[in-house]
Amino acid sequence: MITIIRYEILKVLRNKRFVFFTLVLPLVFLVVLNAFAKPEGDQGQYITYLAVFCTLFGTAGSGLNTLSTRVAKEKSYIGSIYAVTPYSPGKFIFVTAFVQLLLNVLIAAVIIVFGLAVFRLNIDGMLLKMELLAVYSSLYYIFIGLSLGFLLDVVSLQSLSFPLYMGFMAMNLTNDLGLHMPEFMVHIQKFFPGFYLNKAVGAISAGSNAIQDIGMLTLNIVALLVVTLFVYRYKRSAMMG
C-alpha cells in the first residue's frame, strides 16, 4: 500500500497540469484578491482568510483538473486491475482520495509559505484549523474529479476542465470574502462546499461555533461520494472492456 501511495504521489508531481492549476493559479488569485477586494476589518485577518480561500482554489483544481484527467487516461488500466486482481473499486477510491489529500496538504503548505514571505501571514493555531477545514472540503472536488474521469474521455476533459474549474470557483466567491454577490448567486452557492467553508472559517475567526457549517460541508462531501460510487457502477462495464 505504501509503495502504491508513493508511486501515485510521484506521478502527480510530474504532471504540469498539477503545477499550474494547483500551485500557480492559487498564488495568482491570492495576489489579485488582495489587490482588488477591500477588507472591512483587520488586514492581517483578511490575509489569513484569503490564504485559506486560495487553498480551496488549489485543492479544487487538483481534483477537477489533475485527477479527472489522470483517471480518464487510465480507465482501461484501472478496469483491467479490477478484473485480474483483488484491488477493488473501494480500495482504488480510498487510495486515490488519500493521495490527493496528501497533495492538498502540500498545496496548503505552499500557500502558507508564500503568504508568510509576501504578506507576512500570521501562522497560528487559528490559521491551521482553517487550512485543515479547507483540505477537508477538498474531498468534494476529489470525488467530482473521479466522477468526471469515469464519465468523460481525455479530449473532452481538456476542453471542459478549465471552464468547469472557473465555474465551480465562482460558486465559492461568497459575500464572506468582502464581495457583494447578487442575491440569486448567493442561493445557488448554498449547494457548493465553499459557501459553508467560508462561513465556518468566519465563525472560527470570530470565536463562534462552526459545527453546523461543518455538518453541511460534510453532507456535500458524502453526497458526492455516493455519486462517485454510482458513476463507477454505471461505467464499470466500459472500463473493463
Side-chain angles (χ1 to χ4, degrees):
M1 182 71 73
I2 294 176
T3 302
I4 293 174
I5 291 172
R6 184 169 61 247
Y7 171 73
E8 291 293 323
I9 290 174
L10 291 174
K11 186 165 58 175
V12 174
L13 289 176
R14 295 190 185 104
N15 191 326
K16 293 179 181 178
R17 294 175 69 86
F18 173 80
V19 174
F20 177 72
F21 282 108
T22 63
L23 295 179
V24 176
L25 271 186
L27 299 182
V28 172
F29 284 133
L30 179 58
V31 173
V32 170
L33 287 174
N34 180 67
F36 291 99
K38 302 299 182 184
E40 296 180 357
D42 179 73
Q43 176 68 22
Q45 186 180 55
Y46 182 71
I47 291 297
T48 297
Y49 201 79
L50 281 185
V52 176
F53 183 71
C54 288
T55 296
L56 175 64
F57 268 65
T59 55
S62 180
L64 290 172
N65 301 99
T66 306
L67 177 60
S68 62
T69 302
R70 181 163 65 88
V71 172
K73 287 180 179 177
E74 299 177 355
K75 268 189 290 198
S76 59
Y77 170 69
I78 295 168
S80 66
I81 288 178
Y82 294 160
V84 301
T85 74
Y87 193 59
S88 65
K91 185 179 289 186
F92 169 77
I93 291 173
F94 171 79
V95 170
T96 302
F98 183 70
V99 168
Q100 288 298 131
L101 280 176
L102 290 178
L103 292 168
N104 290 345
V105 170
L106 172 62
I107 293 167
V110 169
I111 291 172
I112 289 172
V113 171
F114 181 84
L116 176 64
V118 178
F119 301 111
R120 297 182 181 179
L121 177 66
N122 182 31
I123 301 177
D124 55 14
M126 185 176 295
L127 171 66
L128 296 180
K129 288 179 184 177
M130 293 176 179
E131 289 286 357
L132 182 62
L133 264 180
V135 172
Y136 173 62
S137 74
S138 70
L139 281 167
Y140 179 92
Y141 296 101
I142 289 172
F143 295 139
I144 289 181
L146 283 167
S147 298
L148 289 174
F150 289 144
L151 285 170
L152 303 175
D153 57 71
V154 176
V155 175
S156 298
L157 277 173
Q158 287 176 343
S159 301
L160 294 174
S161 60
F162 188 72
L164 281 172
Y165 174 71
M166 297 307 296
F168 273 99
M169 289 304 94
M171 293 299 102
N172 295 314
L173 290 170
T174 68
N175 291 336
D176 297 283
L177 286 172
L179 304 171
H180 300 284
M181 306 303 293
E183 189 66 26
F184 78 92
M185 184 76 85
V186 173
H187 290 299
I188 296 173
Q189 288 172 338
K190 293 179 181 179
F191 294 96
F192 294 85
F195 180 85
Y196 302 103
L197 173 64
N198 290 342
K199 285 195 169 299
V201 166
I204 291 172
S205 178
S208 304
N209 192 330
I211 295 298
Q212 182 176 351
D213 295 311
I214 294 173
M216 292 300 296
L217 180 60
T218 300
L219 284 177
N220 274 267
I221 292 170
V222 171
L224 259 295
L225 173 58
V226 172
V227 169
T228 301
L229 292 171
F230 176 80
V231 169
Y232 166 75
R233 288 182 176 276
Y234 173 72
K235 299 294 291 185
R236 178 171 55 186
S237 298
M239 287 173 58
M240 292 184 176

